[in-house]
Amino acid sequence: MAASLLAGAGLVLTVDAPALAADAEGGDRFDCRELAEREAPETALDWFERSLWASHCYVFQARAVRIGYDGIRTLALSHHIEDGIEREMASFLDGPPLVFERRGRIGRLSWAEPGSEVPASPSGIAAHLDGLYRLQLGGEERIASRRTVRLDIDPLDSFRFGHRLWLDTTTALPLKQVLLDEAGRVVETFQFTELDRPRLHEGHVVLDQYREAPSDPWDIGWLPEGFVPQPVDTRSSRHADTVDHRLYSDGLSTLSLFVEPIDGADELLAPGMHRLGVSHAAVRHRELGGQPRQVVVMGELPPRVLLRVADTLEWRAEEAAASAEIQGGAVAEEGP
């Protein structure tokens, strides 16, 4: 989905919290009708912020094409809002018959400590990107029979990829996105070919609740500047309970971290670098917490960044000691 692609997995944060109010359950919400009253964007940052709000607030159906290392795929897309909850669907129209669905609220940028507040709105994502990317307006083009303005987003370091966005001048919906690697080469192109009568939602979209961070037994020694842990539930029926999964993002780029004991793992990957479509996965087998573990770091980032994250993950001393004590007790019980 275009919204998911541009919103960095739905991450948002608020600076001045425009038009936010409490919903019936005491949470925050954004009234989409405010977008119709705002003045047209002028700067690159204004356009980017408007595109994030538009991706949450417009109801539409569309056709799109995705061009990547694995070839060309066509998709049918839809975005709806029911009782303030967004529902996105993407169905591949060729190749294997895959359908993806996402239901949820506008997310927040980070976990919340007890008693603290973590604001949420696309305004905050734009502020968070300052110092990480350079945003500039390009020329106008016609895409999906609609007039668009191009937005160039270039990283200020070599630790993340660049983006080119083409935004509908009427709605600010992103109609095309190009992902560029650290050498400026096109990695992936995602483009609408048809947009069917987009309609601004006449109501509100609910923001996610505050979430407290889980207690992880590890620390990551290095992350690219601006990457913060994401407050999302990563539990999945596809992974065993022994698999820990965390997400980190700077608002545009996202990486996933998986950690699991090698003994009893459902699937072991060969250490090194693997390509997964437009993403890479760095795999390490390391002695952590007193036992061998598989560490996998994946994302649409330079491979050396993923490897460095995997190599700097360390078990906390107190957690490692507790693990060793437990293992020692198990060995004693099995002895003569």
Side-chain angles (χ1 to χ4, degrees):
M1 293 300 300
S4 298
L5 287 171
L6 298 182
L11 313 173
V12 286
L13 96 116
T14 295
V15 173
D16 52 0
L20 294 180
D23 66 12
E25 298 179 354
D28 292 335
R29 63 186 185 180
F30 174 75
D31 190 338
C32 291
R33 290 168 290 192
E34 188 209 337
L35 294 182
E37 303 173 0
R38 293 188 178 184
E39 297 182 358
E42 296 183 357
T43 68
L45 197 61
D46 291 340
W47 273 107
F48 181 70
E49 179 187 341
R50 180 67 67 88
S51 75
L52 294 178
W53 282 122
S55 294
H56 289 297
C57 282
Y58 272 90
V59 175
F60 63 84
Q61 293 182 321
R63 295 293 177 95
V65 60
R66 183 179 66 83
I67 305 173
Y69 284 104
D70 55 348
I72 302 174
R73 303 291 301 274
T74 54
L75 305 93
L77 309 173
S78 66
H79 182 256
H80 300 281
I81 303 171
E82 301 175 1
D83 298 324
I85 304 299
E86 296 179 69
R87 180 172 179 261
E88 298 177 336
M89 292 192 67
S91 303
F92 284 93
L93 303 179
D94 47 26
L98 299 176
V99 178
F100 296 95
E101 180 177 355
R102 185 186 74 87
R103 290 175 57 87
R105 308 177 178 196
I106 299 177
R108 299 182 185 270
L109 184 66
S110 64
W111 300 100
E113 298 298 328
S116 67
E117 293 187 4
V118 179
S121 86
S123 306
I125 282 189
H128 185 72
L129 297 184
D130 186 32
L132 305 176
Y133 297 88
R134 179 185 299 108
L135 282 71
Q136 295 179 306
L137 290 176
E140 294 187 359
E141 297 183 29
R142 185 169 175 265
I143 295 177
S145 300
R146 302 178 71 92
R147 190 164 61 93
T148 68
V149 58
R150 192 183 81 235
L151 180 59
D152 299 341
I153 306 178
D154 295 309
L156 298 179
D157 56 33
S158 60
F159 300 138
R160 62 205 93 214
F161 288 168
H163 301 258
R164 298 290 181 268
L165 311 180
W166 284 260
L167 308 179
D168 179 20
T169 55
T170 301
T171 64
L173 283 170
L175 302 185
K176 180 179 178 180
Q177 175 178 6
V178 172
L179 183 67
L180 306 173
D181 67 14
E182 64 269 39
R185 297 177 296 238
V186 175
V187 175
E188 181 184 53
T189 299
F190 184 92
Q191 178 175 330
F192 282 21
T193 57
E194 180 182 349
L195 179 61
D196 184 20
R197 297 186 298 275
R199 174 179 58 84
L200 186 65
H201 176 59
E202 296 183 357
H204 65 270
V205 179
V206 179
L207 305 182
D208 195 17
Q209 62 186 342
Y210 295 108
R211 299 176 183 269
E212 293 185 22
S215 179
D216 292 326
W218 67 72
D219 291 311
I220 297 180
W222 179 85
L223 282 169
E225 181 183 357
F227 274 75
V228 294
Q230 299 306 298
V232 294
D233 186 353
T234 52
R235 290 173 297 180
S236 171
S237 59
R238 294 176 297 176
H239 305 308
D241 293 338
T242 56
V243 179
D244 290 321
H245 178 203
R246 298 290 180 263
L247 290 175
Y248 302 84
S249 178
D250 66 0
L252 268 180
S253 301
T254 302
L255 65 84
S256 287
L257 169 68
F258 298 86
V259 183
E260 66 176 316
I262 288 179
D263 295 338
D266 292 335
E267 181 179 3
L268 285 180
L269 302 174
M273 185 61 59
H274 302 256
R275 178 179 288 281
L276 303 173
V278 299
S279 299
H280 287 89
V283 180
R284 292 294 198 228
H285 293 171
R286 301 181 53 201
E287 188 77 15
L288 296 168
Q291 62 177 305
R293 301 178 191 269
Q294 177 171 261
V295 179
V296 180
V297 183
M298 62 181 295
E300 296 173 2
L301 293 162
R304 60 186 176 84
V305 170
L306 304 175
L307 284 169
R308 186 173 175 183
V309 173
D311 288 339
T312 60
L313 184 142
E314 295 293 344
W315 230 248
R316 296 195 181 104
E318 62 273 18
E319 298 290 348
S323 178
E325 182 177 345
I326 292 174
Q327 289 189 5
V331 171
E333 291 177 3
E334 296 173 359

mmCIF file of all heavy atoms in Angstrom, residues 10-41:
data_model
loop_
_atom_site.group_PDB
_atom_site.id
_atom_site.type_symbol
_atom_site.label_atom_id
_atom_site.label_comp_id
_atom_site.label_asym_id
_atom_site.label_seq_id
_atom_site.Cartn_x
_atom_site.Cartn_y
_atom_site.Cartn_z
ATOM 1 N N GLY A 10 3.479 2.971 9.106
ATOM 2 C CA GLY A 10 2.418 3.642 9.839
ATOM 3 C C GLY A 10 2.893 4.459 11.010
ATOM 4 O O GLY A 10 2.134 4.779 11.910
ATOM 5 N N LEU A 11 4.156 4.858 11.038
ATOM 6 C CA LEU A 11 4.694 5.572 12.187
ATOM 7 C C LEU A 11 4.415 7.066 12.055
ATOM 8 O O LEU A 11 4.638 7.650 11.023
ATOM 9 C CB LEU A 11 6.205 5.359 12.268
ATOM 10 C CG LEU A 11 6.621 3.899 12.110
ATOM 11 C CD1 LEU A 11 8.128 3.819 12.023
ATOM 12 C CD2 LEU A 11 6.104 3.101 13.265
ATOM 13 N N VAL A 12 3.908 7.664 13.107
ATOM 14 C CA VAL A 12 3.657 9.088 13.081
ATOM 15 C C VAL A 12 3.904 9.683 14.454
ATOM 16 O O VAL A 12 3.823 9.013 15.461
ATOM 17 C CB VAL A 12 2.193 9.390 12.669
ATOM 18 C CG1 VAL A 12 1.994 9.150 11.203
ATOM 19 C CG2 VAL A 12 1.229 8.585 13.467
ATOM 20 N N LEU A 13 4.236 10.972 14.499
ATOM 21 C CA LEU A 13 4.340 11.635 15.787
ATOM 22 C C LEU A 13 3.945 13.092 15.639
ATOM 23 O O LEU A 13 3.954 13.631 14.558
ATOM 24 C CB LEU A 13 5.753 11.484 16.356
ATOM 25 C CG LEU A 13 6.774 12.572 16.147
ATOM 26 C CD1 LEU A 13 7.106 13.109 17.520
ATOM 27 C CD2 LEU A 13 8.040 12.054 15.503
ATOM 28 N N THR A 14 3.521 13.731 16.704
ATOM 29 C CA THR A 14 2.962 15.070 16.643
ATOM 30 C C THR A 14 3.881 16.095 17.281
ATOM 31 O O THR A 14 4.463 15.842 18.315
ATOM 32 C CB THR A 14 1.611 15.107 17.402
ATOM 33 O OG1 THR A 14 0.693 14.270 16.730
ATOM 34 C CG2 THR A 14 1.053 16.494 17.460
ATOM 35 N N VAL A 15 3.980 17.260 16.648
ATOM 36 C CA VAL A 15 4.696 18.381 17.250
ATOM 37 C C VAL A 15 3.684 19.361 17.827
ATOM 38 O O VAL A 15 3.650 19.645 19.012
ATOM 39 C CB VAL A 15 5.589 19.068 16.204
ATOM 40 C CG1 VAL A 15 6.200 20.330 16.799
ATOM 41 C CG2 VAL A 15 6.695 18.136 15.751
ATOM 42 N N ASP A 16 2.817 19.904 16.951
ATOM 43 C CA ASP A 16 1.833 20.884 17.435
ATOM 44 C C ASP A 16 0.441 20.275 17.539
ATOM 45 O O ASP A 16 -0.509 20.973 17.868
ATOM 46 C CB ASP A 16 1.795 22.098 16.498
ATOM 47 C CG ASP A 16 1.603 21.686 15.044
ATOM 48 O OD1 ASP A 16 1.507 20.483 14.763
ATOM 49 O OD2 ASP A 16 1.551 22.580 14.190
ATOM 50 N N ALA A 17 0.298 18.983 17.230
ATOM 51 C CA ALA A 17 -0.958 18.243 17.382
ATOM 52 C C ALA A 17 -2.157 18.979 16.804
ATOM 53 O O ALA A 17 -3.108 19.276 17.503
ATOM 54 C CB ALA A 17 -1.210 17.932 18.865
ATOM 55 N N PRO A 18 -2.183 19.285 15.506
ATOM 56 C CA PRO A 18 -3.317 19.995 14.927
ATOM 57 C C PRO A 18 -4.573 19.141 14.898
ATOM 58 O O PRO A 18 -4.533 17.959 14.541
ATOM 59 C CB PRO A 18 -2.842 20.295 13.506
ATOM 60 C CG PRO A 18 -1.873 19.205 13.195
ATOM 61 C CD PRO A 18 -1.191 18.914 14.491
ATOM 62 N N ALA A 19 -5.680 19.693 15.303
ATOM 63 C CA ALA A 19 -7.001 19.065 15.206
ATOM 64 C C ALA A 19 -7.081 17.711 15.894
ATOM 65 O O ALA A 19 -7.819 16.844 15.478
ATOM 66 C CB ALA A 19 -7.420 18.925 13.744
ATOM 67 N N LEU A 20 -6.332 17.493 16.948
ATOM 68 C CA LEU A 20 -6.421 16.246 17.686
ATOM 69 C C LEU A 20 -7.428 16.408 18.818
ATOM 70 O O LEU A 20 -7.500 17.439 19.465
ATOM 71 C CB LEU A 20 -5.058 15.849 18.264
ATOM 72 C CG LEU A 20 -3.981 15.490 17.247
ATOM 73 C CD1 LEU A 20 -2.697 15.126 17.976
ATOM 74 C CD2 LEU A 20 -4.430 14.333 16.372
ATOM 75 N N ALA A 21 -8.216 15.371 19.033
ATOM 76 C CA ALA A 21 -9.203 15.399 20.105
ATOM 77 C C ALA A 21 -9.302 14.013 20.695
ATOM 78 O O ALA A 21 -8.773 13.050 20.151
ATOM 79 C CB ALA A 21 -10.572 15.854 19.560
ATOM 80 N N ALA A 22 -9.987 13.908 21.838
ATOM 81 C CA ALA A 22 -10.151 12.598 22.469
ATOM 82 C C ALA A 22 -11.325 11.872 21.847
ATOM 83 O O ALA A 22 -12.372 12.458 21.601
ATOM 84 C CB ALA A 22 -10.376 12.777 23.966
ATOM 85 N N ASP A 23 -11.158 10.566 21.554
ATOM 86 C CA ASP A 23 -12.273 9.796 21.034
ATOM 87 C C ASP A 23 -13.114 9.273 22.185
ATOM 88 O O ASP A 23 -12.870 9.569 23.347
ATOM 89 C CB ASP A 23 -11.781 8.658 20.129
ATOM 90 C CG ASP A 23 -10.980 7.603 20.888
ATOM 91 O OD1 ASP A 23 -10.998 7.624 22.127
ATOM 92 O OD2 ASP A 23 -10.357 6.759 20.221
ATOM 93 N N ALA A 24 -14.106 8.463 21.841
ATOM 94 C CA ALA A 24 -15.046 7.999 22.851
ATOM 95 C C ALA A 24 -14.379 7.142 23.917
ATOM 96 O O ALA A 24 -14.870 7.031 25.038
ATOM 97 C CB ALA A 24 -16.175 7.212 22.176
ATOM 98 N N GLU A 25 -13.254 6.517 23.571
ATOM 99 C CA GLU A 25 -12.565 5.658 24.524
ATOM 100 C C GLU A 25 -11.423 6.385 25.230
ATOM 101 O O GLU A 25 -10.621 5.781 25.918
ATOM 102 C CB GLU A 25 -12.019 4.430 23.782
ATOM 103 C CG GLU A 25 -13.112 3.585 23.160
ATOM 104 C CD GLU A 25 -12.552 2.399 22.412
ATOM 105 O OE1 GLU A 25 -11.311 2.309 22.296
ATOM 106 O OE2 GLU A 25 -13.329 1.560 21.962
ATOM 107 N N GLY A 26 -11.335 7.690 25.017
ATOM 108 C CA GLY A 26 -10.315 8.459 25.709
ATOM 109 C C GLY A 26 -9.013 8.591 24.944
ATOM 110 O O GLY A 26 -8.060 9.168 25.440
ATOM 111 N N GLY A 27 -8.929 8.038 23.707
ATOM 112 C CA GLY A 27 -7.723 8.142 22.903
ATOM 113 C C GLY A 27 -7.730 9.384 22.030
ATOM 114 O O GLY A 27 -8.708 10.115 21.967
ATOM 115 N N ASP A 28 -6.625 9.611 21.323
ATOM 116 C CA ASP A 28 -6.532 10.751 20.420
ATOM 117 C C ASP A 28 -7.079 10.392 19.054
ATOM 118 O O ASP A 28 -7.102 9.229 18.649
ATOM 119 C CB ASP A 28 -5.064 11.190 20.275
ATOM 120 C CG ASP A 28 -4.527 11.784 21.566
ATOM 121 O OD1 ASP A 28 -5.336 12.278 22.367
ATOM 122 O OD2 ASP A 28 -3.305 11.739 21.756
ATOM 123 N N ARG A 29 -7.492 11.413 18.314
ATOM 124 C CA ARG A 29 -7.999 11.211 16.963
ATOM 125 C C ARG A 29 -7.743 12.456 16.130
ATOM 126 O O ARG A 29 -7.511 13.542 16.670
ATOM 127 C CB ARG A 29 -9.489 10.887 16.973
ATOM 128 C CG ARG A 29 -10.354 12.006 17.518
ATOM 129 C CD ARG A 29 -11.806 11.596 17.640
ATOM 130 N NE ARG A 29 -12.655 12.700 18.048
ATOM 131 C CZ ARG A 29 -13.956 12.617 18.237
ATOM 132 N NH1 ARG A 29 -14.554 11.459 18.075
ATOM 133 N NH2 ARG A 29 -14.648 13.666 18.595
ATOM 134 N N PHE A 30 -7.754 12.288 14.809
ATOM 135 C CA PHE A 30 -7.548 13.395 13.891
ATOM 136 C C PHE A 30 -8.767 13.505 12.983
ATOM 137 O O PHE A 30 -9.212 12.512 12.395
ATOM 138 C CB PHE A 30 -6.286 13.168 13.053
ATOM 139 C CG PHE A 30 -6.083 14.194 11.980
ATOM 140 C CD1 PHE A 30 -5.641 15.465 12.308
ATOM 141 C CD2 PHE A 30 -6.345 13.897 10.652
ATOM 142 C CE1 PHE A 30 -5.451 16.414 11.314
ATOM 143 C CE2 PHE A 30 -6.165 14.841 9.657
ATOM 144 C CZ PHE A 30 -5.714 16.104 9.991
ATOM 145 N N ASP A 31 -9.322 14.714 12.867
ATOM 146 C CA ASP A 31 -10.479 14.952 12.009
ATOM 147 C C ASP A 31 -9.991 15.212 10.585
ATOM 148 O O ASP A 31 -9.375 16.247 10.304
ATOM 149 C CB ASP A 31 -11.274 16.152 12.528
ATOM 150 C CG ASP A 31 -12.628 16.296 11.830
ATOM 151 O OD1 ASP A 31 -12.769 15.767 10.709
ATOM 152 O OD2 ASP A 31 -13.534 16.918 12.400
ATOM 153 N N CYS A 32 -10.259 14.277 9.689
ATOM 154 C CA CYS A 32 -9.758 14.377 8.321
ATOM 155 C C CYS A 32 -10.335 15.566 7.566
ATOM 156 O O CYS A 32 -9.716 16.060 6.606
ATOM 157 C CB CYS A 32 -10.082 13.090 7.566
ATOM 158 S SG CYS A 32 -9.145 11.646 8.137
ATOM 159 N N ARG A 33 -11.485 16.063 7.966
ATOM 160 C CA ARG A 33 -12.106 17.180 7.253
ATOM 161 C C ARG A 33 -11.274 18.453 7.341
ATOM 162 O O ARG A 33 -11.446 19.375 6.545
ATOM 163 C CB ARG A 33 -13.519 17.430 7.799
ATOM 164 C CG ARG A 33 -14.506 16.329 7.423
ATOM 165 C CD ARG A 33 -15.794 16.405 8.188
ATOM 166 N NE ARG A 33 -15.583 16.061 9.601
ATOM 167 C CZ ARG A 33 -16.582 15.823 10.458
ATOM 168 N NH1 ARG A 33 -17.830 15.876 10.036
ATOM 169 N NH2 ARG A 33 -16.333 15.508 11.710
ATOM 170 N N GLU A 34 -10.339 18.480 8.296
ATOM 171 C CA GLU A 34 -9.485 19.659 8.415
ATOM 172 C C GLU A 34 -8.594 19.835 7.186
ATOM 173 O O GLU A 34 -8.218 20.951 6.843
ATOM 174 C CB GLU A 34 -8.609 19.565 9.666
ATOM 175 C CG GLU A 34 -7.848 20.852 9.953
ATOM 176 C CD GLU A 34 -6.540 20.612 10.670
ATOM 177 O OE1 GLU A 34 -6.418 19.567 11.322
ATOM 178 O OE2 GLU A 34 -5.648 21.456 10.558
ATOM 179 N N LEU A 35 -8.255 18.725 6.509
ATOM 180 C CA LEU A 35 -7.375 18.820 5.343
ATOM 181 C C LEU A 35 -7.980 19.683 4.251
ATOM 182 O O LEU A 35 -7.268 20.363 3.513
ATOM 183 C CB LEU A 35 -7.063 17.429 4.800
ATOM 184 C CG LEU A 35 -6.228 16.508 5.697
ATOM 185 C CD1 LEU A 35 -5.969 15.188 4.989
ATOM 186 C CD2 LEU A 35 -4.910 17.179 6.068
ATOM 187 N N ALA A 36 -9.319 19.653 4.128
ATOM 188 C CA ALA A 36 -9.983 20.451 3.097
ATOM 189 C C ALA A 36 -9.884 21.938 3.387
ATOM 190 O O ALA A 36 -10.035 22.770 2.475
ATOM 191 C CB ALA A 36 -11.448 20.036 2.973
ATOM 192 N N GLU A 37 -9.631 22.306 4.648
ATOM 193 C CA GLU A 37 -9.582 23.709 5.038
ATOM 194 C C GLU A 37 -8.164 24.274 5.034
ATOM 195 O O GLU A 37 -7.987 25.487 5.147
ATOM 196 C CB GLU A 37 -10.188 23.872 6.434
ATOM 197 C CG GLU A 37 -11.634 23.354 6.538
ATOM 198 C CD GLU A 37 -12.144 23.363 7.969
ATOM 199 O OE1 GLU A 37 -11.344 23.779 8.869
ATOM 200 O OE2 GLU A 37 -13.293 22.960 8.190
ATOM 201 N N ARG A 38 -7.170 23.429 4.908
ATOM 202 C CA ARG A 38 -5.794 23.903 4.947
ATOM 203 C C ARG A 38 -5.385 24.544 3.626
ATOM 204 O O ARG A 38 -5.885 24.182 2.557
ATOM 205 C CB ARG A 38 -4.837 22.753 5.267
ATOM 206 C CG ARG A 38 -4.982 22.185 6.662
ATOM 207 C CD ARG A 38 -3.868 21.185 6.943
ATOM 208 N NE ARG A 38 -3.952 20.654 8.300
ATOM 209 C CZ ARG A 38 -3.067 19.825 8.823
ATOM 210 N NH1 ARG A 38 -2.032 19.415 8.084
ATOM 211 N NH2 ARG A 38 -3.196 19.397 10.059
ATOM 212 N N GLU A 39 -4.464 25.465 3.701
ATOM 213 C CA GLU A 39 -3.932 26.074 2.495
ATOM 214 C C GLU A 39 -3.064 25.074 1.752
ATOM 215 O O GLU A 39 -2.556 24.111 2.331
ATOM 216 C CB GLU A 39 -3.111 27.322 2.850
ATOM 217 C CG GLU A 39 -3.931 28.429 3.499
ATOM 218 C CD GLU A 39 -3.078 29.665 3.788
ATOM 219 O OE1 GLU A 39 -1.854 29.614 3.511
ATOM 220 O OE2 GLU A 39 -3.638 30.652 4.288
ATOM 221 N N ALA A 40 -2.892 25.296 0.450
ATOM 222 C CA ALA A 40 -2.087 24.387 -0.361
ATOM 223 C C ALA A 40 -0.643 24.390 0.135
ATOM 224 O O ALA A 40 -0.108 25.435 0.514
ATOM 225 C CB ALA A 40 -2.141 24.815 -1.828
ATOM 226 N N PRO A 41 0.015 23.245 0.152
ATOM 227 C CA PRO A 41 1.421 23.185 0.594
ATOM 228 C C PRO A 41 2.309 24.030 -0.313
ATOM 229 O O PRO A 41 2.046 24.168 -1.513
ATOM 230 C CB PRO A 41 1.767 21.697 0.478
ATOM 231 C CG PRO A 41 0.462 20.983 0.432
ATOM 232 C CD PRO A 41 -0.501 21.914 -0.229
#
